[in-house]
Amino acid sequence: MKFYPYKRLNRPITLRVTSATLRLPDGNRDHLDTSAYSVQQRTVALGVAQHEDWVSARIGLSATLPPGADSDDAPWTDLCVVAVLTDGETNLRTAVPLRQEAPGSKEWSGSVEVFRDDHVGRASLAALAVATVDGEPGRSIAETDEDWTVDVVAEEPLGGLRLDVKQVSFSKSSREWLRPYSDAPWIVDASGRLPTVLVNTDIEGFTDLLGAESGGLESKVHEMLVAQMATDVWSAVFHSAVGDLEVEPEGSPVFPTDWQGEVLREMLPDVVPGVHVEEALRRVHRRRTGDAGWVELQTRIHYAAVRRAGASKALANALRGLQQLNRGDKA
């Protein structure tokens, strides 16, 4: 625990990555999709586009200050928010000011430029709120409690959605509610502390296929099954999260603070593109609780789940495996 000789905010800043763009040697920019960064893992993978010669990356940021940061009776002045990029391996530290989206708003946004030649692996990205307190400028009054990681070589944000996977005989399970689903290969249970995938051991050979690690066609089928399972999981947990939202007195939905909130922040940019995640959540909530629009939104939710699960990549790998197998049979 740290102690400060001046007043500070008692809650951390929430920092999110909202976009990532690579600048190439010819001056063009490659806009990376949302699979390049994971809100839950707080990781940006700049190798996802497989450009080995990129010059720099522009990472879009959004920071939310805790309540009271900009109140009229706050014991500080000259409030500003900065994003700080730190690389211990190359001894680099860069601070970039963010801009307040509107007077009195808790939302601050901006971007940080990451130069490829300045990094060899991972850098840390944090946000700090700085103000003048008791006549002393440059006092830190709040910061993020968990940094983001910017990985300049990784091809995917490590970890993805954390799951609890359990193998269960659906027909003989002590969970009586599972028995009617005895012909299903898996079921997603999103009611617990973490989303759980229950894999049905009653289907002969299925668990062996899921555990395939060879380099043959079985591993490609395994990859497709995992991607399909992940698609179902992302879709299920999104619906679970939006179906259990707390609502403020004026009707605005509140982001959950557990894994459900992380899922929403990760998927909403694909479900309602082009708007801030808070506004996206409000639109989804209005459609779910209103008279129209919820059914039409299901296509976007499924699309977001497919992208987060990497289903297209798994399908492409399986098709290449089949083509190689066919060519081998004809040779």
Side-chain angles (χ1 to χ4, degrees), residues 268-269 271-273 275-285:
L268 281 171
V271 177
V272 187
V275 300
H276 196 275
V277 288
E278 275 77 10
E279 173 59 24
L281 183 61
R282 285 191 287 269
R283 294 187 185 185
V284 168
H285 179 67

Side-chain angles (χ1 to χ4, degrees), residues 28-330:
N28 290 326
R29 287 193 174 270
D30 185 1
H31 296 269
L32 306 184
D33 62 33
T34 56
S35 64
Y37 47 93
S38 167
V39 175
Q40 185 174 21
Q41 298 299 318
R42 292 179 173 82
T43 301
V44 184
L46 296 179
V48 66
Q50 299 183 341
H51 291 296
E52 296 183 359
D53 57 348
W54 58 274
V55 178
S56 65
R58 181 172 297 165
I59 300 176
L61 302 172
S62 175
T64 303
L65 298 188
D70 207 25
S71 61
D72 293 337
D73 58 350
W76 46 73
T77 58
D78 307 320
L79 176 66
C80 64
V81 179
V82 294
V84 181
L85 182 71
T86 306
D87 191 327
E89 293 188 61
T90 59
N91 199 28
L92 178 136
R93 182 181 173 89
T94 303
V96 179
L98 303 182
R99 63 182 179 277
Q100 194 173 21
E101 294 190 359
S105 174
K106 295 183 293 185
E107 305 296 328
W108 296 64
S109 59
S111 62
V112 61
E113 201 81 10
V114 181
F115 291 93
R116 181 65 183 87
D117 290 344
D118 291 339
H119 306 277
V120 294
R122 295 182 172 189
S124 296
L125 186 61
L128 291 83
V130 181
T132 298
V133 186
D134 298 331
E136 290 291 334
R139 297 277 201 183
S140 173
I141 62 169
E143 55 276 316
T144 47
D145 58 350
E146 292 188 55
D147 295 350
W148 276 71
T149 296
V150 179
D151 195 318
V152 299
V153 295
E155 295 183 7
E156 60 178 323
L158 298 178
L161 179 63
R162 291 179 295 135
L163 303 174
D164 184 12
V165 181
K166 296 181 179 178
Q167 297 186 8
V168 181
S169 169
F170 284 16
S171 62
K172 302 175 183 177
S173 174
S174 58
R175 300 177 176 90
E176 293 187 4
W177 64 269
L178 271 179
R179 295 174 186 172
Y181 308 112
S182 59
D183 58 344
W186 63 79
I187 290 290
V188 180
D189 180 6
S191 63
R193 186 179 58 85
L194 283 178
T196 301
V197 180
L198 301 171
V199 176
N200 191 359
T201 59
D202 295 334
I203 299 179
E204 186 176 354
F206 180 56
T207 55
D208 293 336
L209 186 57
L210 283 178
E213 295 181 356
S214 66
L217 185 59
E218 281 190 351
S219 68
K220 306 300 182 184
V221 177
H222 158 85
E223 188 177 355
M224 284 190 62
L225 283 173
V226 171
Q228 179 59 55
M229 189 180 297
T231 300
D232 290 350
V233 170
W234 280 104
S235 180
V237 296
F238 184 89
H239 282 90
S240 174
V242 298
D244 195 28
L245 291 172
E246 293 185 13
V247 180
E248 294 179 342
E250 72 275 12
S252 296
V254 179
F255 267 102
T257 57
D258 57 5
W259 63 265
Q260 292 182 329
E262 303 293 355
V263 164
L264 291 174
R265 292 186 186 280
E266 193 138 355
M267 291 183 67
L268 281 171
D270 282 329
V271 177
V272 187
V275 300
H276 196 275
V277 288
E278 275 77 10
E279 173 59 24
L281 183 61
R282 285 191 287 269
R283 294 187 185 185
V284 168
H285 179 67
R286 284 198 298 268
R287 289 196 180 195
R288 191 186 71 82
T289 57
D291 296 330
W294 180 238
V295 173
E296 291 79 359
L297 202 62
Q298 300 309 302
T299 300
R300 296 294 312 184
I301 295 172
H302 183 260
Y303 170 68
V306 166
R307 294 190 75 181
R308 301 312 306 171
S312 296
K313 180 180 178 181
L315 177 60
N317 289 341
L319 290 175
R320 280 196 296 268
L322 284 172
Q323 291 169 355
Q324 291 171 359
L325 183 63
N326 290 336
R327 285 195 296 267
D329 290 341
K330 294 177 181 178

